[in-house]
Amino acid sequence: MEMQASRTLAVSQQQAWEALNDPEVLKLCIPGCDKFAPAGNNQYAVAMAVKIGPVSAKFAGKITLADIVPPESYTIAFDGSGGVAGFGKGTARVLLVPLPVDGAGQDSCELNYTVHASVGGKIAQLGSRIIDSFAKKLADEFFTRFQAAVEDPEDEPENVTEEAVADSGEKKKGWFKRLLG
């Protein structure tokens, strides 16, 4: 399966880059993530619980960052196993493009991503329509949480819904901006 999309973030390219490389931010933004821990040079051990249609499973795996060009881009390779439920693996290319400062002096950047993924086992038996729908929903939820984490860092990402992000008209300063200084 392939998927690509982009989002405009109301933060600088550098701020977005730092968040994309912060294991705590990523753990909070990945739906169902129980573990996101460094496991070597540009590698992370990941554990998460997911429900795809009628199949629920806990997946364990690793994420490896490659082709790193700070603060512009990297490639994420992921590989995970959910026991009898099956496996998932693939790559995602992430690109941050700085945008001109707006009239209010607000930095912004565009986050572009392209994902290539495959699944096997019981999950693959569900059919491409269910799997593609789940993958799109998971990606949308991750990037909605990520956008909220970097733009409205006062709210913890796991408490942010798509409606809250869409309805949020005011900019807040909180834990992420304090982290960056």
Side-chain angles (χ1 to χ4, degrees):
M1 102 186 68
E2 290 187 32
M3 181 175 28
Q4 65 183 44
S6 64
R7 285 184 180 254
T8 299
L9 304 174
V11 295
S12 70
Q13 179 187 39
Q14 184 63 39
Q15 288 172 307
W17 178 258
E18 289 171 9
L20 283 171
N21 286 280
D22 184 333
E24 286 302 312
V25 171
L26 296 175
K27 180 181 177 185
L28 291 171
C29 294
I30 298 171
C33 187
D34 300 323
K35 174 183 175 185
F36 196 99
N41 194 23
N42 296 323
Q43 287 194 339
Y44 299 91
V46 180
M48 62 188 292
V50 296
K51 181 171 180 3
I52 306 171
V55 179
S56 294
K58 287 192 174 260
F59 281 80
K62 70 177 181 178
I63 289 178
T64 304
L65 304 181
D67 306 325
I68 302 169
V69 182
E72 296 175 9
S73 64
Y74 60 36
T75 300
I76 303 168
F78 52 91
D79 188 1
S81 174
V84 296
F87 68 87
K89 63 182 177 178
T91 61
R93 182 76 179 146
V94 178
L95 176 66
L96 294 170
V97 179
L99 298 174
V101 176
D102 69 13
Q106 174 69 50
D107 285 322
S108 61
C109 67
E110 185 173 82
L111 184 151
N112 299 293
Y113 62 93
T114 304
V115 178
H116 303 279
S118 62
V119 296
K122 263 185 161 177
I123 294 172
Q125 295 172 0
L126 295 173
S128 64
R129 181 179 283 176
I130 291 174
I131 293 168
D132 290 352
S133 174
F134 171 78
K136 182 179 180 342
K137 179 182 172 217
L138 190 69
D140 286 345
E141 191 171 341
F142 170 82
F143 286 107
T144 296
R145 289 178 176 199
F146 181 77
Q147 185 171 10
V150 297
E151 290 180 356
D152 297 326
E154 195 170 88
D155 294 329
E156 291 292 324
E158 68 261 8
N159 297 329
V160 176
T161 64
E162 288 186 41
E163 294 81 20
V165 173
D167 294 341
S168 154
E170 64 184 57
K171 297 295 173 207
K172 302 173 189 171
K173 291 187 180 178
W175 70 270
F176 186 71
K177 295 239 180 181
R178 286 193 304 268
L179 179 71
L180 294 177

